[in-house]
Amino acid sequence: KKEFSKKMPSFKTSYNGFSCEFSPFDEERLAVATASKFGIFGPGRQYVLEVDVEQDTIEKVVSFDTPDGLYDCAWSEENENHLVAVSGDGSVYIYDTASTNNPIQAFKEHGKEVASVHWNLVNKDTFVTGSWDQSIKLWSVDDDSSLETYDEHNYCVYSTQWSPTKGNIFASTSGDLHVKVWDIQDVSSIVSFRAHDHEVLTCDWNKYDENILVTGACDNSIRVWDIRNTEQPVTTLKGHNYAVRRVKCSPHDETIIGSCSYDMTLVIWDTEKDDPLLERYEQHTEFVIGFDFNLENEDQIASTSWDETVYVWNRGEEPIATHDEDMDEDDEQHGKKFQSMFGDQLQGGGQLY
C-alpha cells in the first residue's frame, strides 16, 4: 500500500461542488462537477484535477465551462480520457481530456435538470442518466440519441446506479419515495419498493454482494436492502442530522459504506459493528454533496461541497486545507444564509437537491 504524507491536499473551485469521482484508470486523477449559485441558476464548470499526495498538491489539468450548472459526472470505463457530465438545463456532455475540441458529444433529451449519471461497469460503452423530468435514459457513446427511456417514477429521479456485476441491471431512486431495479431489456422495473418515508436521494450497490443495495434519504437515514426481500431493510444507519445526499459502498471492503449529508459531514460506517458509525469528517463548511473512494488506494477519499472546496485525505487522518482561500466574504455569508433559510426543508423533504 502506498505511503502518504500526513498533510493531504485540498483545492478551491470557482463554483459550488456537486460531485467528484476518481478515474478508474489513473489513481491520481479526479473529476469534479460544479455549479454556480448553488445550482439554482448560472453556469457550471467540469474540473479534471491531478492529485499529488507526495507533494501535497491538487492541480487543475483542464476544465470545461457550461451555460448551466453541472450536477453529476462519471468517468468512462473504456477510455481513460473520456468523462460525462450532466447539467441543470437537461444537457448531457461527453468530454475528451486529450482533445482541444470539447465537448465531443452533447445530448439534450431530458426536459428538466439531470441529477445523476453513472457509467456501466460491465458493458462499458453505455451509461445511464436520471432527471427531474421523472425519466431515466440509457445512452451509448456510439449513438447520437438515447437508446431507451424508462419513465415509471412519478417524481424527480435523483440517483441511477449500475450493478457492479450485471451489465443489464441498474437501480434508481426518486422523490416518489421508491427505489426501482431495472433490466435494460424491459421498460418496466423488475423490482419496486417504498424505501423511505421521505424523498430518496441516493443509492449504491454493494460491490461484493449483487443483491445488496444501500439507500439514503431526506429522513436523515441510510438503509441497507436485500432486493430479494424488500419488506424491511436489512439494517438502518442513523447518525446524520440532515438529508443524506450521497451513499457509496467501498470497493475494498464488503461492510464499509460512506455517506455525505446536508449536515456538512461525511461519515464512514461498518455494518458489522455494534456501533456502525466509525468516522465522521467535518472539514467542510457547507452541504457536502459529493465524495468518492479511490479505487487503487484503499484508505483514500475525496469530497466536494457547496463551500467550493475539494479535499483528498486518508481515512483516520484529519483533512487539512492546503489551498489558497480567496472566497469573497459576502459570498461566504450568502452561502450560510442560504443554508439557514432552507435547513428545515432539507431535513424534512422538499425539492432542493
Side-chain angles (χ1 to χ4, degrees):
K1 185 161 70 173
K2 181 183 283 189
E3 294 294 327
F4 298 102
S5 61
K6 277 287 183 180
K7 189 177 181 182
M8 300 293 284
S10 63
F11 181 84
K12 183 76 165 61
T13 58
S14 298
Y15 302 141
N16 310 111
F18 271 76
S19 174
C20 62
E21 183 173 287
F22 282 106
S23 166
F25 297 97
D26 185 344
E27 66 192 63
E28 296 184 336
R29 190 143 294 193
L30 182 70
V32 182
T34 69
S36 66
K37 307 298 183 185
F38 309 100
I40 297 175
F41 65 90
R45 179 168 297 162
Q46 177 64 52
Y47 287 90
V48 177
L49 306 177
E50 191 78 14
V51 181
D52 188 334
V53 294
E54 294 180 354
Q55 298 298 319
D56 304 320
T57 60
I58 301 178
E59 301 290 343
K60 185 180 80 171
V61 177
V62 67
S63 63
F64 308 106
D65 288 343
T66 55
D68 212 310
L70 297 177
Y71 289 176
D72 202 6
C73 62
W75 286 100
S76 166
E77 294 287 335
E78 66 173 0
N79 187 315
E80 64 181 352
N81 296 315
H82 289 181
L83 70 154
V84 59
V86 294
S87 176
D89 65 3
S91 296
V92 177
Y93 301 104
I94 298 180
Y95 296 105
D96 185 343
T97 61
S99 173
T100 58
N101 186 21
N102 276 290
I104 58 172
Q105 287 179 276
F107 311 97
K108 194 171 183 181
E109 295 186 20
H110 283 295
K112 292 184 179 180
E113 292 88 339
V114 188
S116 174
V117 62
H118 194 218
W119 210 288
N120 196 317
L121 304 172
V122 180
N123 298 331
K124 299 183 177 184
D125 61 340
T126 59
F127 59 93
V128 68
T129 57
S131 170
W132 289 11
D133 67 9
Q134 306 180 22
S135 77
I136 301 160
K137 289 183 179 289
L138 174 68
W139 309 84
S140 169
V141 294
D142 299 321
D143 288 86
D144 295 330
S145 60
S146 62
L147 303 178
E148 189 60 84
T149 299
Y150 310 88
D151 56 5
E152 202 173 273
H153 282 294
N154 56 35
Y155 201 65
C156 301
V157 178
Y158 294 125
S159 180
T160 47
Q161 291 289 314
W162 289 103
S163 163
T165 57
K166 297 180 178 180
N168 60 317
I169 300 294
F170 69 89
S172 62
T173 71
S174 169
D176 64 13
L177 317 184
H178 283 71
V179 169
K180 295 180 184 290
V181 178
W182 309 79
D183 186 320
I184 61 172
Q185 309 296 337
D186 193 340
V187 294
S188 298
S189 60
I190 57 174
V191 176
S192 181
F193 62 97
R194 179 168 172 147
H196 295 260
D197 292 330
H198 293 82
E199 298 184 65
V200 190
L201 302 184
T202 178
C203 69
D204 194 27
W205 296 89
N206 187 289
K207 306 306 186 289
Y208 296 86
D209 188 331
E210 64 183 21
N211 296 305
I212 298 299
L213 187 68
V214 181
T215 60
C218 285
D219 60 8
N220 313 340
S221 77
I222 297 159
R223 292 181 176 178
V224 181
W225 301 90
D226 187 326
I227 62 169
R228 296 168 298 184
N229 181 5
T230 59
E231 290 186 6
Q232 62 183 17
V234 176
T235 189
T236 298
L237 305 174
K238 295 183 178 180
H240 283 296
N241 297 318
Y242 285 97
V244 178
R245 183 58 176 80
R246 198 177 300 267
V247 294
K248 288 193 175 182
C249 298
S250 169
H252 307 289
D253 192 316
E254 182 176 0
T255 64
I256 297 296
I257 298 169
S259 62
C260 62
S261 167
Y262 289 135
D263 66 11
M264 301 187 289
T265 71
L266 187 150
V267 172
I268 302 297
W269 312 81
D270 187 336
T271 56
E272 277 196 340
K273 302 291 187 182
D274 291 336
D275 182 2
L277 201 162
L278 291 185
E279 302 153 17
R280 187 188 299 273
Y281 298 98
E282 301 178 329
Q283 69 270 23
H284 289 292
T285 58
E286 287 295 347
F287 304 153
V288 187
I289 309 296
F291 80 98
D292 198 22
F293 293 103
N294 193 309
L295 295 172
E296 296 296 326
N297 299 314
E298 183 173 347
D299 292 329
Q300 193 178 95
I301 303 173
S303 64
T304 190
S305 162
W306 279 10
D307 64 10
E308 303 180 349
T309 64
V310 177
Y311 284 84
V312 178
W313 76 100
N314 289 328
R315 284 184 54 197
E317 298 176 0
E318 181 181 357
I320 299 173
T322 62
H323 61 269
D324 292 328
E325 184 58 65
D326 57 2
M327 175 186 281
D328 183 80
E329 185 175 347
D330 291 339
D331 286 344
E332 186 175 18
Q333 293 304 315
H334 175 71
K336 294 186 180 299
K337 181 180 178 181
F338 187 86
Q339 183 196 38
S340 176
M341 289 169 58
F342 289 98
D344 292 340
Q345 180 181 0
L346 292 168
Q347 186 171 24
Q351 187 173 324
L352 187 66
Y353 310 116

